[in-house]
Structure formats: C-alpha cells, structure tokens
Amino acid sequence: MIDLYTWTTPNGRKISICLEELGLAYTAHAIDIGKDEQFRPDFLKISPNNKIPAIVDRDNGLHLMESGAILIYLAEKTGRLMPKPPEPRYRVIEWLMWQMGGPGPFLGQVHHFVKYNKGKAPYAEERFLKEAHRLYGVLDRRLADREFVADDYSIADIAIWPWISRFEWQTIDLAQYPNVKRWYLAIAARPAVQKGYHVPKKVNEIPMP
C-alpha cells in the first residue's frame, strides 16, 4: 500500500497516473496547496521541501518527495514502465530529466506570468512563451518517428503528459505540433490516465484539443 500526498497539479497527477498504470494499491491524501497545507509540520516530515507529491510506502516505511524520484522508485519497485537494459533505461531517464528541467519549470512560469499575471511583466511573458514553444518543438520532433518519447510507454511519458495537458493555460495550439497532439490524445485515452487525472479530486475534464 502506498500513501500518496498530492494535489491537482501536473506534478501530483504524474504519480496518481503512474500508480493507476501499475495497479498498485494506494490511498490519496489531499494536500491543498491553495490553503498552504504543504507547510504543515506533519507533511514536512514526509516532504522536507514542502512540495507535493510525496509518498510513503507502507511495505518498507520509505518516504520520498520529488516526482521524478518517485516515478523511478515505483518503476523499479514493480519492474514496469522503465526498461532494464542500460541503453533504453537511460533513454527513459534522459527524457524524464528533460521534463524535470524543461517543461516543468518553464511551463510553470508561463502559467504564472501568462495565465495568472498577464500584462504585469511583458518581458517574462515573451521569454517564457518563446521557451514553451521551443520545448513543444523539441517534443514534436522527438515524436515524429516513434509512438512514445522513449519508444515504449514509460514513466517519461507519464512525467511529460500532465504538463502538456495544460496547453490551454500556456496558450498553445496543439495543431501547431501534430506529433505532440497525436501522442497527447493517445495517452489521454488510457483508462489509468483518465482515472489518475482526477486524484485527489475532480476539477475538470481532461482538456481536449
């Protein structure tokens, strides 16, 4: 049994989708970041960086923060969603790290400056929107000749997809990136994704381009 501490954000949805894909039993605990619940002392013991998601594995008492680390842990725990041979394994890790260093932080800045604070910082809007389009272009080229980012469906796709699911927040027209659109829709159709997207609560339907 996994205790999942999460909220309705791209990073949080990564883990609930992964748990659903793996068929692992878990209990979701809502940490409402809009109410600063991530700063509660009891959550700090689990996540020293005061951020969701975090997990506690009741099988061994291990607690982990950081979505990338959690995805790797769950894949290794089950032997699924990440290959064992070195080259394909590191290809998955490569694209997982791409998400952690690129779409995660930069698309998050687009949300901050373009969706929530539009007009307050034109330079920041231009800078982060330009980088968003560059990252979408990288992903589109990667998907031009393969179904998923590391050939087989993996934790890399699970990490990237929730950030792309906020394409409307990012003012991105997925028609500009047809390979991303095809990949996005294929993943959105997966039952585990449809279920995991609505953890810990339903906020909206999965956005469709």
Side-chain angles (χ1 to χ4, degrees), residues 13 35 60 66 70 77 134 139 164:
R13 286 170 173 151
K35 297 179 180 178
N60 52 28
E66 293 298 323
I70 296 169
K77 178 182 176 70
R134 189 191 73 80
L139 184 59
I164 304 302

Side-chain angles (χ1 to χ4, degrees), residues 20-168:
E20 291 292 340
E21 290 282 10
L22 294 171
L24 288 173
Y26 71 97
T27 299
H29 306 273
I31 303 295
D32 189 339
I33 61 176
K35 297 179 180 178
D36 289 339
E37 290 179 357
Q38 70 272 32
F39 297 107
R40 295 186 321 210
D42 58 337
F43 183 64
L44 178 64
K45 294 177 182 178
I46 300 166
S47 179
N49 198 33
N50 296 112
K51 290 183 179 292
I52 62 94
I55 66 165
V56 175
D57 187 339
R58 293 191 205 170
D59 289 346
N60 52 28
L62 178 73
H63 60 83
L64 277 178
M65 64 177 189
E66 293 298 323
S67 60
I70 296 169
L71 287 172
I72 292 172
Y73 174 75
L74 293 174
E76 291 186 337
K77 178 182 176 70
T78 59
R80 296 174 56 201
L81 296 175
M82 187 164 65
K84 292 182 179 179
E87 184 173 349
R89 170 184 167 83
Y90 280 105
R91 201 61 64 208
V92 169
I93 293 173
E94 173 183 54
W95 284 93
L96 173 61
M97 294 302 107
W98 177 79
Q99 184 280 309
M100 301 295 291
F106 282 98
L107 296 183
Q109 292 300 316
V110 175
H111 300 168
H112 179 78
F113 287 106
V114 175
K115 178 174 172 62
Y116 291 111
N117 294 283
K118 191 169 182 60
K120 292 185 179 180
Y123 169 76
E125 288 182 40
E126 180 182 3
R127 178 175 188 265
F128 291 117
L129 273 173
K130 183 178 180 180
E131 179 63 6
H133 279 283
R134 189 191 73 80
L135 290 165
Y136 270 82
V138 170
L139 184 59
D140 198 66
R141 290 189 296 274
R142 177 66 181 173
L143 292 166
D145 59 355
R146 52 180 50 85
E147 187 176 3
F148 300 109
V149 294
D151 295 319
D152 294 327
Y153 184 62
S154 71
I155 58 171
D157 300 286
I158 292 171
I160 298 165
W161 185 88
W163 285 97
I164 304 302
S165 77
R166 285 190 167 168
F167 60 90
E168 293 173 320

